[in-house]
Amino acid sequence: MSEKTPFYITTPIYYPSAKLHIGHAYCTTVADTIARFKRLAGYDVFFLTGSDEHGQKIQQAAEKEGITPIQYVDRIVASFQELWRLLGISYDDFIRTTQPRHHELVQDIFQRIYDQGDIYKGAYTGLYCTPCESYWTKLQLDENGCCPDCHRPVQEVSEEAYFFRMSKYADRLLAYINEHPDFIQPVSRRNEMIAFIEQGLEDLCVSRTSFDWGIPVPFDPKHVVYVWFDALTNYLTPIGYMHDAEKFNKYWPADVHLVGKEIVRFHTIIWGCMLMALGIDLPKKVYGHGWLVVDGAKMSKSVGNVVDPIALIEEFGADAVRYFLLREITLGQDGNISRDTLIGRINSDLANDLGNLLHRTLSMAKKYRKGVLAKGAGRTDFDAALEEMAAATVADYTAQMEQMELSAAIKTAWALISRTNKYIDETAPWTLAKDEAKTAELDAVLYHLVETLHIVSVLIAPFMPTTARRIHEQLGFTSDFDAVQLADIAAWGTTPDGHTVGTAEQLFPRIEVEKA
């Protein structure tokens, strides 16, 4: 494409929880993989993540520790950024809701919606869940009279407040959802949101006076802006809304808001109404991914099964963790995390299938041809089938990635890896090497192995960026791997004649599990 097509993807901005868990790693790794694929496909990508740092529960947590809220969030945000570094998250901007640029925009937006009459002053008396920062009616509570999202007790609150006329936009939002079936995905989340709106939308309380850790309402500073009104605005801050029209028009509407299923309501209903009030387009897609469970049980501090992603990375490596999460969990569904399954995947898929294929290929190239490849010197009876499968793999993989079918795309790439291992057994290069009359066939086999591994290295780059780069280097390619594009593997035969491969190094050592 002569001029790159913009693509804007976001994760939710994460609440600074005192303890990181694997769910943080999962959502951001999914978004990173999509962003990396889009760059690979030639798009101009803007990938945003960040932290949601205001609200009553932050203030209460800081007070409990005897420190200021900003000290509290600074410490935890640093741990998020370290996790993203370890995972190789390639974000373009990290937004913090405590940053001046965001503070200014939230106040500007609040003022604009107030000036047009869509925010008004009143008094709130009702039910509030502090952990979820959510307002509820009695009819919406669960069977125990608790928050329907987190199932913890709600509080009755009564205070002067400003309200957003969300009810004004209910019919228009419902019509939009019905007319744009791809707006909320997967379909189960879409159906949930339709049902929620059809129950009737009340106006939303968008300010608080019972605490002060937040962005002050610009014309009434004893009020702070409701944390979700503040947090959702983060998607507009880094792309220049109201400040940089060229950048904003380039990237908005966002292509994908990737969020956990428990916050789809905020990102489609509250956010949708806010955007309609501002007169700007809604995001093209809000995708609600599922939850992670550990050995069949939902992660819980009380149960003691919260998985620390940093410890997991330190033990198994970032790419192994990324591969496991993305291959094992179908996006949109809940996924089970099991240590035994992770080790099994590392040993079978990464060490045996991929690692051994690379090691055998490079070792044979060094042993039989001193590492130098000859292109087009001969053919075997199995070459055409491998070439055809490679082409079909690239096409299928591309279509699956465009549909965000990440697990399917990994399986497609691995089917090519398995087929290439079979190709070695079919052609038996160790036998060809013993027969001088088979020199051209041996050259063809070695070339086909390296060319296929070159294709594989590009396909797995969004999922396992470090491993992909290592394969690229071991294959002997000296070009900048960051500049590689999907178009580079569109046709068979990009490895040049006379190419010299590098030295094999172990990608993933097998993990020996002690038997009880």
Side-chain angles (χ1 to χ4, degrees):
M1 53 185 74
S2 56
E3 188 172 331
K4 289 187 175 183
T5 302
F7 183 84
Y8 182 26
I9 183 169
T10 74
T11 69
I13 52 173
Y14 297 103
Y15 162 67
S17 170
K19 188 173 182 63
L20 293 173
H21 59 76
I22 196 68
H24 296 122
Y26 174 66
C27 181
T28 310
T29 299
V30 169
D32 180 66
T33 300
I34 295 168
R36 286 177 179 273
F37 166 74
K38 287 294 185 177
R39 295 189 193 106
L40 199 64
Y43 287 76
D44 177 0
V45 173
F46 192 86
F47 171 24
L48 176 69
T49 188
S51 55
D52 170 15
E53 302 178 18
H54 290 129
Q56 187 175 15
K57 58 183 176 180
I58 298 284
Q59 185 165 318
Q60 290 175 346
E63 288 170 353
K64 189 175 180 180
E65 293 195 23
I67 57 178
T68 65
I70 193 64
Q71 289 173 323
Y72 178 83
V73 295
D74 279 349
R75 183 186 68 207
I76 298 173
V77 168
S79 69
F80 276 115
Q81 292 176 321
E82 174 61 9
L83 175 58
W84 301 161
R85 185 190 68 79
L86 291 172
L87 281 170
I89 303 301
S90 60
Y91 59 81
D92 294 287
D93 200 335
F94 188 99
I95 179 74
R96 296 184 60 177
T97 57
T98 51
Q99 291 171 336
R101 59 174 176 163
H102 182 69
H103 182 126
E104 179 184 354
L105 185 64
V106 170
Q107 289 191 319
D108 287 347
I109 287 175
F110 200 98
Q111 184 76 56
R112 175 177 290 191
I113 297 177
Y114 174 79
D115 288 345
Q116 70 190 36
D118 280 340
I119 289 178
Y120 62 92
K121 195 172 189 178
Y124 179 78
T125 300
L127 304 169
Y128 188 72
C129 174
T130 298
C132 292
E133 305 280 14
S134 301
Y135 298 99
W136 300 104
T137 66
K138 285 185 178 180
L139 292 175
Q140 292 170 327
L141 300 181
D142 67 13
E143 64 275 10
N144 298 313
C146 294
C147 172
D149 281 350
C150 71
H151 306 294
R152 285 175 281 197
V154 294
Q155 297 174 303
E156 284 200 28
V157 296
S158 180
E159 57 185 311
E160 179 183 272
Y162 286 91
F163 290 80
F164 168 50
R165 297 186 193 277
M166 197 160 69
S167 59
K168 172 181 173 181
Y169 297 96
D171 291 343
R172 183 175 159 193
L173 179 62
L174 186 59
Y176 183 90
I177 294 171
N178 285 320
E179 292 164 6
H180 297 81
D182 289 337
F183 171 50
I184 305 173
Q185 290 292 322
V187 174
S188 58
R189 315 279 185 259
R190 178 174 177 268
N191 293 337
E192 290 168 6
M193 295 308 105
I194 290 173
F196 190 93
I197 296 171
E198 287 178 340
Q199 291 175 6
L201 288 187
E202 296 185 348
D203 289 348
L204 179 68
C205 180
V206 290
S207 77
R208 301 289 304 277
T209 58
S210 55
F211 61 94
D212 59 8
W213 179 239
I215 297 174
V217 170
F219 48 83
D220 196 347
K222 70 175 180 293
H223 289 254
V224 295
V225 175
Y226 171 47
V227 66
W228 272 106
F229 192 102
D230 163 3
L232 290 163
T233 305
N234 94 88
Y235 302 120
L236 302 179
T237 302
I239 57 169
Y241 179 60
M242 297 178 70
H243 295 280
D244 185 342
E246 182 179 355
K247 187 175 184 180
F248 176 73
N249 291 331
K250 179 180 182 181
Y251 289 112
W252 193 262
D255 292 271
V256 182
H257 285 333
L258 183 70
V259 301
K261 63 181 180 181
E262 73 280 3
I263 55 174
V264 169
R265 177 170 58 88
F266 298 95
H267 283 80
T268 56
I269 297 177
I270 296 177
W271 186 222
C273 292
M274 287 173 61
L275 293 170
M276 285 179 173
L278 290 169
I280 59 178
D281 292 337
L282 274 62
K284 297 174 187 176
K285 189 188 299 292
V286 177
Y287 199 105
H289 67 75
W291 287 332
L292 304 188
V293 296
V294 180
D295 294 322
K298 187 182 175 185
M299 281 191 293
S300 165
K301 292 179 184 177
S302 59
V303 175
N305 64 347
V306 174
V307 177
D308 179 354
I310 291 180
L312 213 59
I313 292 167
E314 288 174 347
E315 183 173 7
F316 298 110
D319 274 13
V321 173
R322 287 176 64 116
Y323 173 81
F324 175 71
L325 292 174
L326 297 166
R327 191 242 180 249
E328 209 67 18
I329 301 166
T330 300
L331 186 61
Q333 299 178 13
D334 292 348
N336 188 50
I337 301 298
S338 162
R339 181 183 178 83
D340 289 344
T341 307
L342 168 58
I343 291 172
R345 285 286 168 214
I346 292 172
N347 285 342
S348 65
D349 299 8
L350 303 184
N352 287 356
D353 294 346
L354 178 59
N356 282 348
L357 174 60
L358 178 65
H359 198 276
R360 293 169 78 189
T361 296
L362 296 181
S363 297
M364 290 189 293
K366 291 283 190 183
K367 180 178 181 180
Y368 301 136
R369 291 292 182 267
K370 296 183 180 180
V372 181
L373 302 180
K375 180 180 180 180
R379 299 284 290 176
T380 77
D381 294 339
F382 306 99
D383 294 353
L386 185 62
E387 292 169 16
E388 289 169 8
M389 184 171 182
T393 296
V394 173
D396 291 346
Y397 164 96
T398 302
Q400 288 160 344
M401 290 297 288
E402 289 288 1
Q403 294 299 315
M404 295 171 52
E405 297 171 355
L406 308 189
S407 179
I410 287 182
K411 292 171 185 176
T412 295
W414 244 257
L416 179 60
I417 292 169
S418 297
R419 181 65 187 82
T420 310
N421 275 311
K422 183 181 178 183
Y423 172 82
I424 293 178
D425 297 333
E426 291 170 335
T427 56
W430 49 86
T431 301
L432 298 176
K434 296 176 183 177
D435 187 345
E436 288 188 7
K438 301 290 186 178
T439 295
E441 291 182 42
L442 177 60
D443 285 337
V445 170
L446 296 175
Y447 183 88
H448 276 68
L449 292 176
V450 171
E451 176 70 357
T452 306
L453 277 164
H454 175 220
I455 292 169
V456 166
S457 72
V458 176
L459 297 181
I460 70 170
F463 304 95
M464 308 167 68
T466 301
T467 300
R469 184 184 300 276
R470 289 182 64 195
I471 294 172
H472 182 80
E473 292 169 352
Q474 288 185 43
L475 289 173
F477 293 104
T478 57
S479 57
D480 180 10
F481 190 65
D482 290 332
V484 171
Q485 298 276 281
L486 263 180
D488 297 336
I489 57 168
W492 179 269
T494 56
T495 302
D497 185 37
H499 177 77
T500 302
V501 301
T503 302
E505 297 176 3
Q506 191 176 49
L507 291 178
F508 295 95
R510 279 189 59 83
I511 299 171
E512 300 301 328
V513 181
E514 293 184 11
K515 300 297 181 182

